[in-house]
C-alpha cells in the first residue's frame, strides 16, 4: 500500500510540473478587416523542458481540421468567417493550454441603400434638402458613427462636367453629412449634385440628382430673317413679364455670348441691331434674360439668320469623259456628253444661273440643285446631251451669269480649246498603275451621309461598281473614301503599250438605304490619269546552279520600247525571314533583257526579286515600280549534276536538321509505274556518302543518316536536289 501511494504522489507532482511547461509569448487578440482581404492569426509559444509542441485551431469551439500551424491564414476573408478563434497548444506529453480568444470581424463594403431624389423649387426663398442613406461596415450611417467606424461624407456640385467640392456657407449646410440643405435663393435655374461616402473598406457615390428652379413667369421669343450683306437689320425679342421683374439681357451667337463688335448695337438689350450686317454674321442667335438680383435666367428660342451677298465665281470648267488635252481626245475618242462645272462662293441666298454659248442662252440652273461644298466653295454640275456637244475643233465660247436678290455676277469665258486650270475640289489625280491612291469625298451634302447609300463607280465601264462598305484585293470603299490599293484590275482598259496614260472617271451615286431608286444627289467626278509602267514579258524562274561556275543567276525580259530608260534593282535574301538586300543596279540590254551573271558560290543560294522603273515625259510622272516574281536559287556541288533524261521526282524531307533518320516523301510527276530509282547523299565537295535503291511505287522512304558526320549535305532524287543539315 505504501508503494501505490508513492506512485500516486509522483504522478500528481509530474502533472503539476508539466502544467507550467508551455509558455505563450504572444498571440493575436482581435482583428477587424474588410471582406476579401487577407487575415493572419498567430500564436508564439515554447516548452521550457524542450518538448516538441503542437497546435490546433478552433472557431467558435469547433475544431478546424488541418489548421495545425502556429499561423492561421484566411487569404480572402468572407463574411461567414467572422467569429471567435483560439488555439490549443500541447507539449507532446500531457500538458495542454489554450490561448485567449481572438475575435475576427469581417467588415462589409460601403453600399448606398437609399439614393437622393430630384427636387423642384420656385423662385421664392426656399431651403431644400437632399438626403441619402448607406451601410458602412454593415451598419447604418448613424450606427456606424456611434460605433466608431471610419465614415467620411462629401457633397459635390456638377458644373459643365466638372465636379466641385461643396463647403458649408450661406447656401449649403451639411456638406459632410448624409443630409444636404440648400438655400436656393441665389442659385441658378438648375443644379446637379451627388454625394461621396467612404468607409474603411471602400468609397461609393450616390446617383446625380437635379435641383430644378421651376418657373413659368417669363416667356421669350424671337424671329429670324434673311438679309443681304451691307443692309441695316435688327433682331427683336418678344417678352412676357407679368410680374414686372427687373430684367437683364445677353445675346448669344452659335452658343457663345456676343462680345462687343463694331457693327453690333444693343447686345445687352432686348433688341440686337446690325449696322450694317455682314456675311460673317450668318449663324444661330438666341437671347438670355436674367431676373435682376437673382441667378435665375431664361433663354429664348434659337433662330437662324441667313446673310447672303451677290454671287461670286471661283472658276468655270468644261469636262468630257476624256480630258480634252489627251491623245484620246484628239484622236476623236470623245463621248456623247459634256459637263459645264460651275464653282462659286457658297451663299446663304439662293442663286440662279444662266448658261450661254456664243451669246445664246442654252440652259438655266438653280443653286438648290448644287449639293456639294468644300469649305466656302460650292459646285454645280450641268450635263448636256448631243444637242450641244462640240466637235474636237469647236472654238465656241461659254460663259455663265449668276444672280440673286443681292446682285449679279459674270463668269470668265471658256471653250474646249481654251480650257481653264480649274480644280478647287482636287478632282484630278495622276498616278502610276502600281501606285495606290485614296480619293476622299470632302463635301457637305444636304442629306446626312449616315442616311444614304453611296456607290462608287467607274464611268469607263459599268462592271466596276464599288458597293460600300466593301473590301477586296484591289480596293476599299466607304461612305466618303475610295482606296484603290492595287490598280492591276485596270489593265484591261489599256489599249497598247505605246499609250503612256489614259483617263478614268469615278462617280459617286447616292441613294437612300432600302430604296433602289437613285436620289437627286450625285457627285461627279474624280479623274485618274494612269501612267504606264515597265511591262515584264518573261518572268525569272527558280534555278539550280553548280558551285564555282559562271552562270546567269537572274534574268528578266521586258516588253517595252527600247528607247525607254528602264532601271533594274536586284534584291537578295537568304530566307523569307531576312530583310532583302540590294545587290545590283543595272540597265536592260536594248531596253528589253536584264541579266545578272556571276561566278556562283554557296553564299549565293537564297531568294531573288527585282524592281524596275522608268520615267515618262508626259506630265513628269515617274512610274514606280514593277516587281518581279521571287525566285529560289539552289547551289549544288559539281559531283551531283543531274541528267536531263532522268525521271523527275518531287520530294520533301523531314526533319531538317536531322540527327539519325530522315523521312523522304515522294511525289512522282509520271503516273507510269517506275521499276526502281535511287536516293543519293553528297557532301559539299560533291562526294557521294550514301546511295540506296527505292522500291517501285514507293511514296515514302526512311533514310538512316546516323553515321554521317555533322555538317551540310545534299540529297538527290531524280532531277531534284534538296539540302539538309546533320546535327
Amino acid at each position: 500500500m505504501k508503494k501505490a501511494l508513492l506512485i500516486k504522489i509522483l504522478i500528481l507532482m509530474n502533472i503539476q510540473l508539466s502544467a507550467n511547461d508551455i509558455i505563450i509569448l504572444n498571440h493575436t487578440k482581435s482583428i477587424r478587416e474588410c471582406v476579401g482581404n487577407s487575415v493572419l492569426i498567430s500564436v508564439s509559444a515554447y516548452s521550457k523542458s524542450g518538448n516538441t509542441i503542437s497546435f490546433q485551431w478552433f472557431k467558435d469551439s469547433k475544431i478546424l481540421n488541418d489548421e495545425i500551424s502556429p499561423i492561421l491564414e484566411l487569404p480572402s476573408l468572407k463574411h461567414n468567417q467572422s467569429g471567435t478563434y483560439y488555439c490549443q497548444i500541447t507539449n507532446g506529453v500531457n500538458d495542454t493550454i489554450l490561448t485567449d480568444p481572438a475575435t475576427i470581424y469581417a467588415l462589409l463594403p460601403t453600399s448606398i441603400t437609399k439614393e437622393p431624389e430630384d427636387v423642384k423649387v420656385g423662385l421664392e426663398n426656399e431651403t431644400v434638402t437632399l438626403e441619402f442613406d448607406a451601410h458602412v461596415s454593415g451598419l447604418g450611417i448613424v450606427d456606424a458613427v456611434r460605433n466608431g467606424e471610419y465614415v467620411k461624407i462629401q457633397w459635390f456640385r456638377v458644373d459643365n462636367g466638372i465636379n466641385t467640392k461643396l463647403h458649408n456657407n450661406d447656401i449649403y449646410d451639411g456638406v459632410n453629412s448624409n443630409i444636404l440643405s440648400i438655400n436656393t435663393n441665389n442659385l441658378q435655374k438648375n443644379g446637379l449634385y451627388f454625394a461621396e461616402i467612404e468607409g474603411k473598406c471602400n468609397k461609393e457615390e450616390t446617383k446625380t440628382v437635379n435641383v430644378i428652379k421651376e418657373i413659368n413667369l417669363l416667356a421669350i421669343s424671337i424671329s429670324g430673317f434673311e438679309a443681304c450683306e451691307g443692309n441695316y437689320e435688327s433682331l427683336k425679342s418678344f417678352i412676357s413679364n407679368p410680374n414686372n421683374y427687373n430684367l437683364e439681357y445677353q445675346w448669344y451667337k452659335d452658343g457663345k455670348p456676343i462680345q462687343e463688335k463694331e457693327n453690333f448695337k444693343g447686345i445687352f438689350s432686348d433688341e440686337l441691331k446690325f449696322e450694317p450686317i455682314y456675311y460673317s454674321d450668318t449663324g444661330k442667335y438666341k437671347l438670355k434674360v436674367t431676373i435682376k438680383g437673382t441667378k435665375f435666367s431664361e433663354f429664348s428660342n434659337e433662330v437662324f439668320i441667313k446673310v447672303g451677298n451677290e454671287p461670286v465665281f471661283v472658276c468655270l470648267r468644261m469636262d468630257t469623259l476624256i480630258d480634252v488635252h489627251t491623245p484620246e481626245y484628239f484622236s476623236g475618242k470623245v463621248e456623247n456628253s459634256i459637263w459645264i462645272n460651275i464653282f462659286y462662293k457658297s451663299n446663304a441666298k439662293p442663286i440662279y444661273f444662266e448658261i450661254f454659248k456664243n451669246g445664246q442662252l442654252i440652259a438655266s440652273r438653280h443653286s438648290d440643285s448644287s449639293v456639294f461644298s468644300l469649305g466656302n466653295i460650292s459646285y454645280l454640275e450641268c450635263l448636256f446631251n448631243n444637242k450641244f456637244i462640240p466637235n474636237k475643233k469647236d472654238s465656241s465660247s461659254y460663259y455663265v451669269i449668276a444672280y440673286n436678290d443681292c446682285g449679279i455676277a459674270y463668269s470668265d469665258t471658256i471653250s474646249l480649246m481654251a480650257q481653264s486650270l480649274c480644280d478647287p475640289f482636287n478632282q484630278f489625280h495622276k498616278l502610276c498603275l502600281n501606285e495606290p491612291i485614296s480619293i476622299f469625298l470632302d463635301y457637305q451634302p444636304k442629306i446626312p451621309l449616315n442616311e444614304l447609300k453611296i456607290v462608287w463607280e467607274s464611268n469607263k465601264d459599268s462592271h466596276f461598281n464599288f458597293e460600300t462598305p466593301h473590301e477586296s484585293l484591289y480596293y476599299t470603299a466607304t461612305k466618303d473614301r475610295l482606296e484603290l490599293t492595287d490598280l492591276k484590275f485596270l489593265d484591261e482598259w489599256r489599249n497598247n503599250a505605246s499609250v503612256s496614260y489614259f483617263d478614268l472617271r469615278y462617280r459617286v451615286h447616292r441613294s437612300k438605304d432600302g430604296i433602289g431608286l437613285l436620289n437627286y444627289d450625285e457627285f461627279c467626278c474624280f479623274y485618274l490619269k494612269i501612267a504606264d509602267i515597265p511591262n515584264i514579258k518573261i518572268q525569272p524562274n527558280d534555278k539550280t546552279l553548280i558551285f564555282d561556275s559562271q552562270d546567269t543567276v537572274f534574268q528578266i525580259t521586258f516588253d517595252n520600247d527600247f528607247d525607254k530608260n528602264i532601271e533594274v534593282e536586284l534584291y537578295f535574301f537568304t530566307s523569307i525571314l531576312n530583310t532583302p538586300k540590294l545587290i545590283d543596279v543595272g540597265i536592260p540590254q536594248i531596253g528589253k533583257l536584264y541579266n545578272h551573271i556571276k561566278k556562283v558560290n554557296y553564299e549565293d543560294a537564297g531568294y531573288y526579286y527585282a524592281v524596275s522603273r522608268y520615267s515618262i515625259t508626259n506630265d513628269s510622272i515617274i512610274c514606280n515600280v514593277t516587281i518581279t516574281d521571287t525566285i529560289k536559287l539552289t547551289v549544288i556541288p559539281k559531283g551531283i549534276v543531274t541528267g536531263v533524261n532522268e525521271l523527275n521526282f518531287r520530294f520533301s524531307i523531314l526533319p531538317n536538321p536531322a540527327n539519325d533518320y530522315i523521312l523522304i516523301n515522294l511525289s512522282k510527276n509520271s503516273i507510269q509505274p517506275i521499276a526502281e530509282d535511287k536516293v543519293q547523299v553528297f557532301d559539299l565537295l560533291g562526294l557521294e556518302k550514301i546511295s540506296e535503291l527505292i522500291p517501285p511505287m514507293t511514296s515514302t522512304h526512311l533514310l538512316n543518316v546516323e553515321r554521317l558526320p555533322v555538317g551540310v549535305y545534299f540529297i538527290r532524287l531524280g532531277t531534284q536536289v534538296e539540302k539538309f543539315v546533320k546535327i
Side-chain angles (χ1 to χ4, degrees), residues 212-252:
I212 306 170
K213 298 196 71 173
E214 191 176 53
I215 184 170
N216 296 315
L217 300 178
L218 296 178
I220 313 160
S221 64
I222 55 177
S223 298
F225 58 82
E226 295 184 7
C228 292
E229 188 173 32
N231 292 349
Y232 280 64
E233 305 286 350
S234 68
L235 187 56
K236 298 179 181 179
S237 63
F238 303 91
I239 302 174
S240 173
N241 182 16
N243 290 343
N244 293 319
Y245 288 113
N246 290 326
L247 304 179
E248 297 175 337
Y249 309 94
Q250 171 68 64
W251 284 94
Y252 281 69

Side-chain angles (χ1 to χ4, degrees), residues 551-676:
D551 210 330
T552 301
V553 173
F554 193 88
Q555 186 178 75
I556 323 169
T557 302
F558 293 97
D559 187 14
N560 288 305
D561 295 338
F562 69 90
D563 59 341
K564 293 183 178 179
N565 186 23
I566 301 176
E567 184 179 81
V568 179
E569 295 178 352
L570 183 62
Y571 290 85
F572 166 75
F573 51 107
T574 56
S575 76
I576 58 175
L577 299 178
N578 296 123
T579 302
K581 178 182 179 182
L582 178 64
I583 62 171
D584 184 51
V585 177
I587 298 175
Q589 301 173 13
I590 321 178
K592 290 185 178 292
L593 183 64
Y594 169 79
N595 285 304
H596 183 67
I597 302 173
K598 65 169 295 184
K599 193 172 184 180
V600 181
N601 203 333
Y602 288 123
E603 288 77 10
D604 297 321
Y607 298 87
Y608 295 81
Y609 70 88
V611 175
S612 60
R613 60 170 58 85
Y614 69 85
S615 63
I616 60 176
T617 57
N618 292 323
D619 299 311
S620 300
I621 303 175
I622 299 177
C623 284
N624 134 51
V625 289
T626 297
I627 302 178
T628 68
D629 295 339
T630 299
I631 68 163
K632 179 182 178 182
L633 176 65
T634 303
V635 181
I636 62 176
K638 293 180 180 180
I640 59 171
V641 179
T642 61
V644 295
N645 294 323
E646 296 183 71
L647 292 173
N648 185 14
F649 284 81
R650 292 194 177 276
F651 68 92
S652 61
I653 55 177
L654 288 173
N656 191 1
N659 181 31
D660 43 13
Y661 289 90
I662 59 173
L663 182 66
I664 303 175
N665 293 302
L666 302 94
S667 174
K668 301 179 178 66
N669 289 340
S670 175
I671 63 173
Q672 300 298 326
I674 299 175
E676 65 180 19

